[in-house]
Amino acid sequence: MAKDSKSLMIQGTSSHVGKSVAVAAICRILKQDGYSICPFKSQNMALNSFITASGGEMGRAQVVQAEACGLEPEVFMNPVLIKPVADARAQIIFMGKVLKNMSASEYDGKKKIFLDKIKELLDDIKSKFDYVIIEGAGSPAEINLLENDIVNMRTAVIAGSPVILVGDVDKGGVFASFYGTVKLLPATFQKYIKGLLVNKFRGDVSLLQPGNDYIAQKLDIPVLGTIPYFRDIHIEEEDSVNLEREQERAASLSRSKGNKVDGRVVIAVIYLPHISNFTDFDALKHEEEVSLVYVRSAADLAVLDPHLIIIPGSKSTINDLIYLRESGIEKEIKKQCSRQTSVIGICGGYQMLGRVITDRFKSESKSTGSIEGMGLLNIATDYLQKKNTYQVEFDLKDGIRDLFGTCCNTLGDLSGGSSQYKKMKGYEIHMGISKVMGPGNDLIPLFNISRRGNEEAIMEDGLLRLDRENKKMVMGTYIHGVFDNYIFRRSLLSVLKGLYNIRSGPTGSSIRSYDDFKQSQYDRLADLFRENMDMDLFYKILKGGI
């Protein structure tokens, strides 16, 4: 038997076959079995990012995997992060910090310079952990990219890692995908693939077995298992592709079809072309008295007629604001806000709510100058050259606490007292700085915040404009993850129910600790994979090397 390489790599026949989730499941299984585990992905392309304790930026998928390992996320788990800013340009983040914006061709020609660092990081991880579980990207058989690959087979070679190849049977053609992927690879790379894993299967697995047996014999690579398609295990998604299914529901939902009648708070999240950090809303999605829908058109927003509209973060705020304007969505947002609908903006969405955005350094747009905002908050935003990336702790300002009133006090007591209430957590990722324009007597600051590493410096974040007479509010904040905090989330929902006289609704329990909820989901995910993989074969591959 070959020497244990202390690593295992998960690659896929294409994008969105479930590599990230498979890595999270394997990390959790190995943690449960008593091993120290670390996730790794040399290069990630995603707008859904996270800020570490040290202020570094990394892909959200490796954050999920770190949580499954019981680790605090660190940028060495994802040294290269690509954040698209246009169809052919992206911001390149290396070891947590912005390197520069590059065209696709420029980056492809230069990315091999990261290989030495990737090897250094993998060697260091192996010296500190029992195993490193590595995730690939897209497909290793993208032959147009093979020469400059740094994330699939070249990483496997550097790590000396056996590879499990994942295929998505729900897409169709899974056996052709397995065969084509393996056979398109040079023979020197084919030998690294030690197992096949069928993912997202619906139905009786016995009907798939003849295909599994055939492809295993044809490629001389064993099938490790068949993982069922699941909907009831909640793992945060890496990118927005999976939101397509959810936003398709918008046209079929309206208050007249039950949303107002059954007592739910109806929330519309605007599906921006460059939507980022959409996991901000996952905790709301799991509230039983909330109906949360992603909306992509003015018509769908009009049909939905929600109680609350959320404008999320964006990697290209000015371009997305122009999109809202040209598509008619901005007009519909302002129309609904002029009646009784409340609006919340997060990060880039907060900036859009203001009167003007200025980008003199071309930080996010191609041209200098200013663009008029929606004018729903009396603020101006200036883009700077340095990105603000911080973990933060925050507390409600006195005025906001008074507004939330009895709800905050009661929830604080139920959650273990005011000390927990004061230690809400989130993170900032933004280029812009927003300030009130002139008199802002109708604006109430939202939070007192402290940034990790500089806890003594207390600052203010966010603004609220409350219109009690017309039963609506407009709110904005730079804090990502704000809804993950039970006290804020439940208090906000209570205020919305009061504003809109929502008297009844589902009586199911709320998630008090979103962190605890996520940990329980990792355990359920691990159980699912254990039950549907040949664990003896899995450990043989893990420990067998190349």
Side-chain angles (χ1 to χ4, degrees):
M1 179 181 290
K3 182 181 178 182
D4 188 342
S5 68
K6 298 192 67 175
S7 63
L8 177 69
M9 189 167 190
I10 305 300
Q11 297 185 12
T13 56
S14 70
S15 298
H16 315 302
V17 299
K19 296 185 291 293
S20 297
V21 170
V23 169
I26 289 168
C27 285
R28 192 60 161 204
I29 286 171
L30 293 173
K31 180 180 184 296
Q32 291 172 340
D33 288 354
Y35 295 98
S36 62
I37 308 299
C38 182
F40 183 83
K41 185 171 184 177
S42 57
Q43 171 194 286
N44 202 344
M45 180 182 288
L47 291 178
N48 212 21
S49 61
F50 177 79
I51 301 303
T52 67
S54 61
E57 190 172 1
M58 63 183 288
R60 190 93 197 183
Q62 281 61 64
V63 174
V64 167
Q65 293 158 7
E67 291 174 349
C69 294
L71 301 175
E72 183 164 338
E74 297 188 55
V75 295
F76 69 77
M77 300 171 183
N78 173 214
V80 181
L81 175 62
I82 304 172
K83 300 188 77 173
V85 295
D87 288 343
R89 291 188 66 80
Q91 184 180 77
I92 309 301
I93 296 167
F94 179 60
M95 293 301 291
K97 301 299 179 185
V98 175
L99 190 62
K100 63 178 294 189
N101 284 4
M102 294 187 188
S103 67
S105 58
E106 180 185 6
Y107 175 69
D108 188 58
K110 293 182 177 180
K111 63 185 179 182
K112 287 175 73 173
I113 64 174
F114 298 120
L115 283 175
D116 287 344
K117 185 64 175 180
I118 291 168
K119 184 179 188 308
E120 175 188 328
L121 291 171
L122 284 169
D123 288 344
D124 187 54
I125 293 170
K126 287 183 181 183
S127 72
K128 295 175 180 176
F129 294 88
D130 293 328
Y131 288 100
V132 53
I133 309 302
I134 308 168
E135 181 185 345
S139 165
E142 292 170 349
I143 52 179
N144 56 312
L145 303 177
L146 199 59
E147 181 181 354
N148 294 321
D149 165 54
I150 66 169
V151 68
N152 285 309
M153 280 302 176
R154 196 161 275 111
T155 297
V157 172
I158 289 172
S161 177
V163 173
I164 292 173
L165 185 64
V166 179
D168 180 356
V169 68
D170 192 53
K171 289 181 177 178
V174 69
F175 301 119
S177 298
F178 280 140
Y179 187 84
T181 299
V182 173
K183 292 301 182 181
L184 278 173
L185 290 171
T188 53
F189 288 160
Q190 290 183 26
K191 68 179 184 181
Y192 284 83
I193 301 177
K194 300 298 183 181
L196 309 174
L197 183 64
V198 179
N199 197 23
K200 304 183 186 179
F201 181 70
R202 308 172 194 248
D204 183 351
V205 71
S206 66
L207 298 176
L208 194 67
Q209 195 57 47
N212 288 353
D213 293 340
Y214 179 85
I215 198 66
Q217 182 179 17
K218 189 75 173 176
L219 291 175
D220 195 25
I221 302 172
V223 175
L224 185 62
T226 299
I227 308 301
Y229 193 104
F230 63 84
R231 294 182 181 275
D232 59 342
I233 302 174
H234 304 287
I235 307 297
E236 289 184 343
E237 300 282 1
E238 179 182 24
D239 55 49
S240 61
V241 170
N242 294 288
L243 296 183
E244 297 283 350
R245 300 188 303 268
E246 298 198 37
Q247 61 97 16
E248 287 172 359
R249 297 187 301 139
S252 64
L253 293 174
S254 69
R255 291 184 184 175
S256 64
K257 294 182 180 180
N259 285 287
K260 188 174 182 180
V261 173
D262 68 9
R264 284 184 168 87
V265 178
V266 184
I267 300 175
V269 179
I270 304 301
Y271 190 110
L272 300 172
H274 302 92
I275 186 172
S276 64
N277 294 79
F278 56 86
T279 49
D280 284 345
F281 316 114
D282 280 8
L284 283 171
K285 185 170 62 178
H286 296 309
E287 288 284 348
E288 292 194 23
E289 62 181 357
V290 168
S291 176
L292 186 134
V293 182
Y294 287 87
V295 175
R296 205 168 196 170
S297 72
D300 285 349
L301 184 59
V303 169
L304 187 63
D305 191 20
H307 300 106
L308 173 65
I309 297 169
I310 298 178
I311 306 175
S314 167
K315 186 63 193 74
S316 189
T317 303
I318 290 176
N319 286 334
D320 279 354
L321 177 56
I322 293 171
Y323 161 79
L324 294 181
R325 195 155 285 161
E326 293 179 347
S327 67
I329 296 175
E330 178 194 30
K331 182 179 180 180
E332 182 62 31
I333 291 172
K334 294 170 79 170
K335 176 182 176 182
Q336 293 196 20
C337 186
S338 69
R339 300 197 303 259
Q340 285 192 339
T341 302
S342 293
V343 180
I344 294 179
I346 306 295
C347 198
Y350 176 29
Q351 296 169 351
M352 293 182 200
L353 294 178
R355 295 195 178 279
V356 63
I357 301 173
T358 302
D359 187 11
R360 67 192 70 187
F361 299 109
K362 300 184 181 180
S363 298
E364 286 200 5
S365 60
K366 292 181 180 179
S367 60
T368 58
S370 299
I371 183 171
E372 182 181 348
M374 294 185 184
L376 298 179
L377 288 175
N378 191 32
I379 61 171
T381 297
D382 283 306
Y383 285 163
L384 306 180
Q385 291 177 296
K386 180 181 180 297
K387 182 183 285 191
N388 289 286
T389 56
Y390 302 98
Q391 285 191 1
V392 299
E393 290 189 348
F394 63 98
D395 181 25
L396 295 178
K397 297 282 290 184
D398 288 342
I400 301 299
R401 197 181 307 180
D402 292 341
L403 169 66
F404 286 2
T406 303
C407 181
C408 282
N409 295 331
T410 302
L411 291 173
D413 293 339
L414 290 174
S415 302
S418 60
S419 62
Q420 181 168 337
Y421 164 68
K422 291 181 179 179
K423 292 182 179 179
M424 295 184 282
K425 296 181 179 180
Y427 56 99
E428 298 177 67
I429 317 174
H430 56 96
M431 303 289 289
I433 301 296
S434 300
K435 296 181 179 179
V436 175
M437 297 178 66
N441 297 330
D442 63 340
L443 299 178
I444 307 172
L446 277 177
F447 306 122
N448 287 317
I449 72 166
S450 62
R451 290 169 169 170
R452 191 160 178 174
N454 189 20
E455 283 78 4
E456 289 74 26
I458 305 300
M459 298 172 288
E460 290 183 346
D461 172 85
L463 292 167
L464 169 69
R465 181 167 63 83
L466 177 64
D467 185 343
R468 292 181 183 273
E469 182 179 351
N470 294 306
K471 296 184 177 181
K472 63 184 179 182
M473 59 184 173
V474 179
M475 181 187 298
T477 177
Y478 273 113
I479 299 176
H480 291 287
V482 65
F483 300 114
D484 291 0
N485 296 278
Y486 176 70
I487 298 299
F488 178 77
R489 185 175 72 249
R490 293 301 306 171
S491 298
L492 175 66
L493 292 176
S494 178
V495 170
L496 289 169
K497 292 181 76 171
L499 282 175
Y500 301 113
N501 198 30
I502 302 173
R503 298 300 184 188
S504 61
T507 58
S509 60
S510 177
I511 299 169
R512 292 186 179 278
S513 170
Y514 193 52
D515 287 338
D516 289 349
F517 172 75
K518 289 192 289 185
Q519 292 299 320
S520 71
Q521 300 306 297
Y522 298 140
D523 285 334
R524 294 183 63 203
L525 181 68
D527 290 344
L528 180 73
F529 272 67
R530 279 187 192 276
E531 292 166 4
N532 294 281
M533 288 197 309
D534 182 335
M535 292 306 298
D536 290 337
L537 176 57
F538 168 77
Y539 270 108
K540 181 179 179 182
I541 293 171
L542 178 71
K543 297 176 181 293
I546 300 303

